Amino acid sequence: MPIKTCHKLVRDHIPEIIEADGKICVCETLSDEDYLYLLDQKLNEELAEYQESKSLEELADLLEVMQAVVKVRGWTLEELEKVRADKASERGGFEKKILLKKVVDE
């Protein structure tokens, strides 16, 4: 019986899906510290997958991980949205497609 070794944070229903496929999986529940560390790694993984595929599905995965990070750090999605909106109000968004090419200090 081949064994595939994994060490990655997975979505909550993945163990059930694996077992429904007739396989056995070994899991553990992470400490908050390890969970946050692996969430940060997962952000990088999901961003890389989105950059490669440019798919809406991968962008949704990235958002899911971002929401988990917000929660584990003790913030709320409302707080995140307020910070985003405040920055957009103060500094603007990205709608105008501006490429800053040079800044000359007189």
Side-chain angles (χ1 to χ4, degrees), residues 43-73:
L43 277 173
N44 292 330
E45 174 189 331
E46 297 299 346
L47 179 58
E49 289 175 3
Y50 168 73
Q51 288 175 327
E52 182 177 318
S53 71
K54 305 294 191 238
S55 76
L56 186 60
E57 183 177 339
E58 292 301 341
L59 199 55
D61 288 346
L62 185 58
L63 181 58
E64 186 75 32
V65 177
M66 290 174 61
Q67 290 176 342
V69 170
V70 167
K71 185 176 179 182
V72 77
R73 288 199 178 273

PDB file of all heavy atoms in Angstrom, residues 43-73:
ATOM      1  N   LEU A  43      -1.452  31.144   2.175  1.00  0.00           N
ATOM      2  CA  LEU A  43      -1.663  32.374   1.395  1.00  0.00           C
ATOM      3  C   LEU A  43      -0.708  32.428   0.209  1.00  0.00           C
ATOM      4  O   LEU A  43      -1.112  32.732  -0.914  1.00  0.00           O
ATOM      5  CB  LEU A  43      -1.440  33.616   2.269  1.00  0.00           C
ATOM      6  CG  LEU A  43      -2.585  34.086   3.133  1.00  0.00           C
ATOM      7  CD1 LEU A  43      -2.121  35.212   4.057  1.00  0.00           C
ATOM      8  CD2 LEU A  43      -3.754  34.542   2.296  1.00  0.00           C
ATOM      9  N   ASN A  44       0.558  32.129   0.459  1.00  0.00           N
ATOM     10  CA  ASN A  44       1.557  32.124  -0.616  1.00  0.00           C
ATOM     11  C   ASN A  44       1.235  31.067  -1.666  1.00  0.00           C
ATOM     12  O   ASN A  44       1.332  31.327  -2.871  1.00  0.00           O
ATOM     13  CB  ASN A  44       2.957  31.881  -0.049  1.00  0.00           C
ATOM     14  CG  ASN A  44       3.443  33.028   0.795  1.00  0.00           C
ATOM     15  OD1 ASN A  44       3.092  34.175   0.573  1.00  0.00           O
ATOM     16  ND2 ASN A  44       4.259  32.738   1.790  1.00  0.00           N
ATOM     17  N   GLU A  45       0.836  29.889  -1.208  1.00  0.00           N
ATOM     18  CA  GLU A  45       0.495  28.794  -2.127  1.00  0.00           C
ATOM     19  C   GLU A  45      -0.693  29.175  -3.016  1.00  0.00           C
ATOM     20  O   GLU A  45      -0.644  29.009  -4.238  1.00  0.00           O
ATOM     21  CB  GLU A  45       0.158  27.544  -1.316  1.00  0.00           C
ATOM     22  CG  GLU A  45      -0.344  26.376  -2.124  1.00  0.00           C
ATOM     23  CD  GLU A  45      -0.861  25.236  -1.261  1.00  0.00           C
ATOM     24  OE1 GLU A  45      -0.381  25.051  -0.119  1.00  0.00           O
ATOM     25  OE2 GLU A  45      -1.767  24.524  -1.732  1.00  0.00           O
ATOM     26  N   GLU A  46      -1.741  29.702  -2.403  1.00  0.00           N
ATOM     27  CA  GLU A  46      -2.929  30.059  -3.172  1.00  0.00           C
ATOM     28  C   GLU A  46      -2.666  31.225  -4.119  1.00  0.00           C
ATOM     29  O   GLU A  46      -3.177  31.256  -5.240  1.00  0.00           O
ATOM     30  CB  GLU A  46      -4.106  30.371  -2.245  1.00  0.00           C
ATOM     31  CG  GLU A  46      -4.571  29.208  -1.403  1.00  0.00           C
ATOM     32  CD  GLU A  46      -5.078  28.006  -2.185  1.00  0.00           C
ATOM     33  OE1 GLU A  46      -5.336  28.118  -3.402  1.00  0.00           O
ATOM     34  OE2 GLU A  46      -5.217  26.935  -1.580  1.00  0.00           O
ATOM     35  N   LEU A  47      -1.850  32.186  -3.683  1.00  0.00           N
ATOM     36  CA  LEU A  47      -1.488  33.295  -4.564  1.00  0.00           C
ATOM     37  C   LEU A  47      -0.716  32.784  -5.778  1.00  0.00           C
ATOM     38  O   LEU A  47      -1.004  33.174  -6.914  1.00  0.00           O
ATOM     39  CB  LEU A  47      -0.669  34.346  -3.814  1.00  0.00           C
ATOM     40  CG  LEU A  47      -0.210  35.536  -4.646  1.00  0.00           C
ATOM     41  CD1 LEU A  47      -1.384  36.272  -5.279  1.00  0.00           C
ATOM     42  CD2 LEU A  47       0.622  36.483  -3.789  1.00  0.00           C
ATOM     43  N   ALA A  48       0.227  31.895  -5.547  1.00  0.00           N
ATOM     44  CA  ALA A  48       1.004  31.326  -6.663  1.00  0.00           C
ATOM     45  C   ALA A  48       0.095  30.561  -7.626  1.00  0.00           C
ATOM     46  O   ALA A  48       0.245  30.667  -8.851  1.00  0.00           O
ATOM     47  CB  ALA A  48       2.105  30.411  -6.123  1.00  0.00           C
ATOM     48  N   GLU A  49      -0.871  29.813  -7.075  1.00  0.00           N
ATOM     49  CA  GLU A  49      -1.796  29.065  -7.934  1.00  0.00           C
ATOM     50  C   GLU A  49      -2.673  30.022  -8.749  1.00  0.00           C
ATOM     51  O   GLU A  49      -2.933  29.772  -9.926  1.00  0.00           O
ATOM     52  CB  GLU A  49      -2.651  28.119  -7.089  1.00  0.00           C
ATOM     53  CG  GLU A  49      -1.845  26.952  -6.545  1.00  0.00           C
ATOM     54  CD  GLU A  49      -2.626  26.064  -5.595  1.00  0.00           C
ATOM     55  OE1 GLU A  49      -3.842  26.303  -5.382  1.00  0.00           O
ATOM     56  OE2 GLU A  49      -2.025  25.120  -5.053  1.00  0.00           O
ATOM     57  N   TYR A  50      -3.112  31.113  -8.123  1.00  0.00           N
ATOM     58  CA  TYR A  50      -3.899  32.100  -8.872  1.00  0.00           C
ATOM     59  C   TYR A  50      -3.048  32.744  -9.963  1.00  0.00           C
ATOM     60  O   TYR A  50      -3.500  32.907 -11.100  1.00  0.00           O
ATOM     61  CB  TYR A  50      -4.477  33.186  -7.948  1.00  0.00           C
ATOM     62  CG  TYR A  50      -5.015  34.332  -8.765  1.00  0.00           C
ATOM     63  CD1 TYR A  50      -6.195  34.202  -9.486  1.00  0.00           C
ATOM     64  CD2 TYR A  50      -4.302  35.513  -8.889  1.00  0.00           C
ATOM     65  CE1 TYR A  50      -6.659  35.231 -10.291  1.00  0.00           C
ATOM     66  CE2 TYR A  50      -4.763  36.550  -9.689  1.00  0.00           C
ATOM     67  CZ  TYR A  50      -5.937  36.402 -10.386  1.00  0.00           C
ATOM     68  OH  TYR A  50      -6.386  37.411 -11.192  1.00  0.00           O
ATOM     69  N   GLN A  51      -1.816  33.119  -9.627  1.00  0.00           N
ATOM     70  CA  GLN A  51      -0.960  33.779 -10.615  1.00  0.00           C
ATOM     71  C   GLN A  51      -0.691  32.879 -11.807  1.00  0.00           C
ATOM     72  O   GLN A  51      -0.574  33.356 -12.932  1.00  0.00           O
ATOM     73  CB  GLN A  51       0.348  34.220  -9.960  1.00  0.00           C
ATOM     74  CG  GLN A  51       0.144  35.405  -9.036  1.00  0.00           C
ATOM     75  CD  GLN A  51       1.397  35.799  -8.284  1.00  0.00           C
ATOM     76  OE1 GLN A  51       2.223  34.964  -7.938  1.00  0.00           O
ATOM     77  NE2 GLN A  51       1.541  37.085  -8.030  1.00  0.00           N
ATOM     78  N   GLU A  52      -0.639  31.588 -11.570  1.00  0.00           N
ATOM     79  CA  GLU A  52      -0.414  30.652 -12.671  1.00  0.00           C
ATOM     80  C   GLU A  52      -1.674  30.462 -13.518  1.00  0.00           C
ATOM     81  O   GLU A  52      -1.624  30.480 -14.740  1.00  0.00           O
ATOM     82  CB  GLU A  52       0.047  29.296 -12.126  1.00  0.00           C
ATOM     83  CG  GLU A  52       0.349  28.287 -13.213  1.00  0.00           C
ATOM     84  CD  GLU A  52       0.875  26.983 -12.650  1.00  0.00           C
ATOM     85  OE1 GLU A  52       1.709  27.025 -11.728  1.00  0.00           O
ATOM     86  OE2 GLU A  52       0.451  25.929 -13.155  1.00  0.00           O
ATOM     87  N   SER A  53      -2.829  30.311 -12.853  1.00  0.00           N
ATOM     88  CA  SER A  53      -4.052  29.959 -13.580  1.00  0.00           C
ATOM     89  C   SER A  53      -4.927  31.146 -13.967  1.00  0.00           C
ATOM     90  O   SER A  53      -5.689  31.070 -14.918  1.00  0.00           O
ATOM     91  CB  SER A  53      -4.899  29.012 -12.732  1.00  0.00           C
ATOM     92  OG  SER A  53      -5.472  29.715 -11.635  1.00  0.00           O
ATOM     93  N   LYS A  54      -4.841  32.216 -13.184  1.00  0.00           N
ATOM     94  CA  LYS A  54      -5.717  33.388 -13.347  1.00  0.00           C
ATOM     95  C   LYS A  54      -7.195  33.007 -13.254  1.00  0.00           C
ATOM     96  O   LYS A  54      -8.059  33.675 -13.814  1.00  0.00           O
ATOM     97  CB  LYS A  54      -5.463  34.112 -14.673  1.00  0.00           C
ATOM     98  CG  LYS A  54      -4.026  34.524 -14.901  1.00  0.00           C
ATOM     99  CD  LYS A  54      -3.569  35.577 -13.930  1.00  0.00           C
ATOM    100  CE  LYS A  54      -2.235  36.145 -14.371  1.00  0.00           C
ATOM    101  NZ  LYS A  54      -1.190  36.006 -13.402  1.00  0.00           N
ATOM    102  N   SER A  55      -7.509  31.935 -12.517  1.00  0.00           N
ATOM    103  CA  SER A  55      -8.889  31.465 -12.453  1.00  0.00           C
ATOM    104  C   SER A  55      -9.635  32.067 -11.265  1.00  0.00           C
ATOM    105  O   SER A  55      -9.059  32.368 -10.218  1.00  0.00           O
ATOM    106  CB  SER A  55      -8.935  29.933 -12.361  1.00  0.00           C
ATOM    107  OG  SER A  55      -8.603  29.499 -11.057  1.00  0.00           O
ATOM    108  N   LEU A  56     -10.931  32.213 -11.437  1.00  0.00           N
ATOM    109  CA  LEU A  56     -11.797  32.713 -10.370  1.00  0.00           C
ATOM    110  C   LEU A  56     -11.781  31.746  -9.188  1.00  0.00           C
ATOM    111  O   LEU A  56     -11.817  32.167  -8.026  1.00  0.00           O
ATOM    112  CB  LEU A  56     -13.220  32.905 -10.898  1.00  0.00           C
ATOM    113  CG  LEU A  56     -14.212  33.549  -9.936  1.00  0.00           C
ATOM    114  CD1 LEU A  56     -13.752  34.948  -9.520  1.00  0.00           C
ATOM    115  CD2 LEU A  56     -15.600  33.601 -10.570  1.00  0.00           C
ATOM    116  N   GLU A  57     -11.699  30.450  -9.458  1.00  0.00           N
ATOM    117  CA  GLU A  57     -11.657  29.443  -8.393  1.00  0.00           C
ATOM    118  C   GLU A  57     -10.438  29.638  -7.493  1.00  0.00           C
ATOM    119  O   GLU A  57     -10.545  29.574  -6.267  1.00  0.00           O
ATOM    120  CB  GLU A  57     -11.644  28.037  -9.003  1.00  0.00           C
ATOM    121  CG  GLU A  57     -11.676  26.946  -7.954  1.00  0.00           C
ATOM    122  CD  GLU A  57     -11.726  25.545  -8.542  1.00  0.00           C
ATOM    123  OE1 GLU A  57     -12.120  25.392  -9.716  1.00  0.00           O
ATOM    124  OE2 GLU A  57     -11.371  24.618  -7.812  1.00  0.00           O
ATOM    125  N   GLU A  58      -9.288  29.881  -8.075  1.00  0.00           N
ATOM    126  CA  GLU A  58      -8.079  30.101  -7.269  1.00  0.00           C
ATOM    127  C   GLU A  58      -8.151  31.419  -6.514  1.00  0.00           C
ATOM    128  O   GLU A  58      -7.670  31.522  -5.384  1.00  0.00           O
ATOM    129  CB  GLU A  58      -6.818  30.044  -8.141  1.00  0.00           C
ATOM    130  CG  GLU A  58      -6.511  28.674  -8.703  1.00  0.00           C
ATOM    131  CD  GLU A  58      -6.302  27.585  -7.659  1.00  0.00           C
ATOM    132  OE1 GLU A  58      -6.032  27.880  -6.479  1.00  0.00           O
ATOM    133  OE2 GLU A  58      -6.425  26.397  -8.040  1.00  0.00           O
ATOM    134  N   LEU A  59      -8.763  32.415  -7.105  1.00  0.00           N
ATOM    135  CA  LEU A  59      -8.953  33.688  -6.409  1.00  0.00           C
ATOM    136  C   LEU A  59      -9.889  33.494  -5.210  1.00  0.00           C
ATOM    137  O   LEU A  59      -9.671  34.053  -4.129  1.00  0.00           O
ATOM    138  CB  LEU A  59      -9.504  34.732  -7.372  1.00  0.00           C
ATOM    139  CG  LEU A  59      -9.361  36.189  -6.971  1.00  0.00           C
ATOM    140  CD1 LEU A  59      -7.918  36.568  -6.664  1.00  0.00           C
ATOM    141  CD2 LEU A  59      -9.918  37.080  -8.069  1.00  0.00           C
ATOM    142  N   ALA A  60     -10.918  32.655  -5.371  1.00  0.00           N
ATOM    143  CA  ALA A  60     -11.823  32.333  -4.268  1.00  0.00           C
ATOM    144  C   ALA A  60     -11.088  31.599  -3.151  1.00  0.00           C
ATOM    145  O   ALA A  60     -11.323  31.846  -1.962  1.00  0.00           O
ATOM    146  CB  ALA A  60     -12.993  31.496  -4.778  1.00  0.00           C
ATOM    147  N   ASP A  61     -10.177  30.697  -3.522  1.00  0.00           N
ATOM    148  CA  ASP A  61      -9.365  29.999  -2.517  1.00  0.00           C
ATOM    149  C   ASP A  61      -8.514  30.985  -1.725  1.00  0.00           C
ATOM    150  O   ASP A  61      -8.381  30.868  -0.507  1.00  0.00           O
ATOM    151  CB  ASP A  61      -8.457  28.956  -3.177  1.00  0.00           C
ATOM    152  CG  ASP A  61      -9.213  27.742  -3.694  1.00  0.00           C
ATOM    153  OD1 ASP A  61     -10.393  27.557  -3.316  1.00  0.00           O
ATOM    154  OD2 ASP A  61      -8.622  26.977  -4.482  1.00  0.00           O
ATOM    155  N   LEU A  62      -7.946  31.940  -2.414  1.00  0.00           N
ATOM    156  CA  LEU A  62      -7.128  32.968  -1.760  1.00  0.00           C
ATOM    157  C   LEU A  62      -7.979  33.762  -0.769  1.00  0.00           C
ATOM    158  O   LEU A  62      -7.562  34.013   0.369  1.00  0.00           O
ATOM    159  CB  LEU A  62      -6.510  33.888  -2.816  1.00  0.00           C
ATOM    160  CG  LEU A  62      -5.539  34.956  -2.338  1.00  0.00           C
ATOM    161  CD1 LEU A  62      -4.359  34.370  -1.587  1.00  0.00           C
ATOM    162  CD2 LEU A  62      -5.057  35.777  -3.522  1.00  0.00           C
ATOM    163  N   LEU A  63      -9.174  34.126  -1.181  1.00  0.00           N
ATOM    164  CA  LEU A  63     -10.077  34.861  -0.296  1.00  0.00           C
ATOM    165  C   LEU A  63     -10.455  34.023   0.924  1.00  0.00           C
ATOM    166  O   LEU A  63     -10.518  34.535   2.040  1.00  0.00           O
ATOM    167  CB  LEU A  63     -11.328  35.297  -1.069  1.00  0.00           C
ATOM    168  CG  LEU A  63     -12.356  36.103  -0.289  1.00  0.00           C
ATOM    169  CD1 LEU A  63     -11.749  37.378   0.291  1.00  0.00           C
ATOM    170  CD2 LEU A  63     -13.532  36.450  -1.195  1.00  0.00           C
ATOM    171  N   GLU A  64     -10.691  32.739   0.739  1.00  0.00           N
ATOM    172  CA  GLU A  64     -11.026  31.837   1.849  1.00  0.00           C
ATOM    173  C   GLU A  64      -9.908  31.815   2.888  1.00  0.00           C
ATOM    174  O   GLU A  64     -10.152  31.893   4.091  1.00  0.00           O
ATOM    175  CB  GLU A  64     -11.280  30.419   1.317  1.00  0.00           C
ATOM    176  CG  GLU A  64     -11.778  29.441   2.360  1.00  0.00           C
ATOM    177  CD  GLU A  64     -13.237  29.662   2.741  1.00  0.00           C
ATOM    178  OE1 GLU A  64     -14.026  30.099   1.884  1.00  0.00           O
ATOM    179  OE2 GLU A  64     -13.584  29.400   3.903  1.00  0.00           O
ATOM    180  N   VAL A  65      -8.671  31.730   2.425  1.00  0.00           N
ATOM    181  CA  VAL A  65      -7.532  31.722   3.351  1.00  0.00           C
ATOM    182  C   VAL A  65      -7.393  33.084   4.025  1.00  0.00           C
ATOM    183  O   VAL A  65      -7.135  33.164   5.230  1.00  0.00           O
ATOM    184  CB  VAL A  65      -6.226  31.313   2.628  1.00  0.00           C
ATOM    185  CG1 VAL A  65      -5.040  31.377   3.579  1.00  0.00           C
ATOM    186  CG2 VAL A  65      -6.348  29.907   2.059  1.00  0.00           C
ATOM    187  N   MET A  66      -7.599  34.157   3.275  1.00  0.00           N
ATOM    188  CA  MET A  66      -7.537  35.495   3.874  1.00  0.00           C
ATOM    189  C   MET A  66      -8.573  35.635   4.982  1.00  0.00           C
ATOM    190  O   MET A  66      -8.282  36.186   6.053  1.00  0.00           O
ATOM    191  CB  MET A  66      -7.742  36.569   2.807  1.00  0.00           C
ATOM    192  CG  MET A  66      -6.585  36.699   1.853  1.00  0.00           C
ATOM    193  SD  MET A  66      -6.922  37.842   0.497  1.00  0.00           S
ATOM    194  CE  MET A  66      -7.211  39.354   1.374  1.00  0.00           C
ATOM    195  N   GLN A  67      -9.778  35.138   4.749  1.00  0.00           N
ATOM    196  CA  GLN A  67     -10.816  35.210   5.770  1.00  0.00           C
ATOM    197  C   GLN A  67     -10.432  34.413   7.011  1.00  0.00           C
ATOM    198  O   GLN A  67     -10.703  34.842   8.136  1.00  0.00           O
ATOM    199  CB  GLN A  67     -12.155  34.730   5.201  1.00  0.00           C
ATOM    200  CG  GLN A  67     -12.729  35.693   4.193  1.00  0.00           C
ATOM    201  CD  GLN A  67     -14.006  35.196   3.536  1.00  0.00           C
ATOM    202  OE1 GLN A  67     -14.324  34.003   3.565  1.00  0.00           O
ATOM    203  NE2 GLN A  67     -14.738  36.102   2.926  1.00  0.00           N
ATOM    204  N   ALA A  68      -9.791  33.265   6.831  1.00  0.00           N
ATOM    205  CA  ALA A  68      -9.336  32.464   7.968  1.00  0.00           C
ATOM    206  C   ALA A  68      -8.262  33.207   8.761  1.00  0.00           C
ATOM    207  O   ALA A  68      -8.258  33.181   9.995  1.00  0.00           O
ATOM    208  CB  ALA A  68      -8.818  31.108   7.493  1.00  0.00           C
ATOM    209  N   VAL A  69      -7.348  33.879   8.054  1.00  0.00           N
ATOM    210  CA  VAL A  69      -6.304  34.653   8.721  1.00  0.00           C
ATOM    211  C   VAL A  69      -6.924  35.778   9.548  1.00  0.00           C
ATOM    212  O   VAL A  69      -6.542  36.007  10.704  1.00  0.00           O
ATOM    213  CB  VAL A  69      -5.274  35.218   7.710  1.00  0.00           C
ATOM    214  CG1 VAL A  69      -4.333  36.210   8.386  1.00  0.00           C
ATOM    215  CG2 VAL A  69      -4.473  34.087   7.065  1.00  0.00           C
ATOM    216  N   VAL A  70      -7.870  36.475   8.968  1.00  0.00           N
ATOM    217  CA  VAL A  70      -8.555  37.553   9.681  1.00  0.00           C
ATOM    218  C   VAL A  70      -9.146  37.019  10.987  1.00  0.00           C
ATOM    219  O   VAL A  70      -8.953  37.598  12.065  1.00  0.00           O
ATOM    220  CB  VAL A  70      -9.662  38.188   8.798  1.00  0.00           C
ATOM    221  CG1 VAL A  70     -10.582  39.064   9.620  1.00  0.00           C
ATOM    222  CG2 VAL A  70      -9.038  38.994   7.665  1.00  0.00           C
ATOM    223  N   LYS A  71      -9.828  35.890  10.908  1.00  0.00           N
ATOM    224  CA  LYS A  71     -10.490  35.313  12.079  1.00  0.00           C
ATOM    225  C   LYS A  71      -9.492  34.876  13.142  1.00  0.00           C
ATOM    226  O   LYS A  71      -9.650  35.184  14.319  1.00  0.00           O
ATOM    227  CB  LYS A  71     -11.362  34.138  11.648  1.00  0.00           C
ATOM    228  CG  LYS A  71     -12.179  33.532  12.755  1.00  0.00           C
ATOM    229  CD  LYS A  71     -13.083  32.440  12.239  1.00  0.00           C
ATOM    230  CE  LYS A  71     -13.877  31.822  13.374  1.00  0.00           C
ATOM    231  NZ  LYS A  71     -14.734  30.739  12.905  1.00  0.00           N
ATOM    232  N   VAL A  72      -8.447  34.162  12.743  1.00  0.00           N
ATOM    233  CA  VAL A  72      -7.498  33.631  13.728  1.00  0.00           C
ATOM    234  C   VAL A  72      -6.692  34.751  14.399  1.00  0.00           C
ATOM    235  O   VAL A  72      -6.266  34.626  15.532  1.00  0.00           O
ATOM    236  CB  VAL A  72      -6.575  32.550  13.119  1.00  0.00           C
ATOM    237  CG1 VAL A  72      -5.474  33.145  12.268  1.00  0.00           C
ATOM    238  CG2 VAL A  72      -5.961  31.680  14.212  1.00  0.00           C
ATOM    239  N   ARG A  73      -6.531  35.867  13.724  1.00  0.00           N
ATOM    240  CA  ARG A  73      -5.819  36.997  14.322  1.00  0.00           C
ATOM    241  C   ARG A  73      -6.734  37.846  15.212  1.00  0.00           C
ATOM    242  O   ARG A  73      -6.298  38.830  15.783  1.00  0.00           O
ATOM    243  CB  ARG A  73      -5.183  37.857  13.236  1.00  0.00           C
ATOM    244  CG  ARG A  73      -3.989  37.187  12.570  1.00  0.00           C
ATOM    245  CD  ARG A  73      -3.119  38.203  11.866  1.00  0.00           C
ATOM    246  NE  ARG A  73      -1.953  37.600  11.265  1.00  0.00           N
ATOM    247  CZ  ARG A  73      -0.799  37.396  11.896  1.00  0.00           C
ATOM    248  NH1 ARG A  73      -0.662  37.734  13.149  1.00  0.00           N
ATOM    249  NH2 ARG A  73       0.226  36.862  11.261  1.00  0.00           N
TER     250      ARG A  73
END
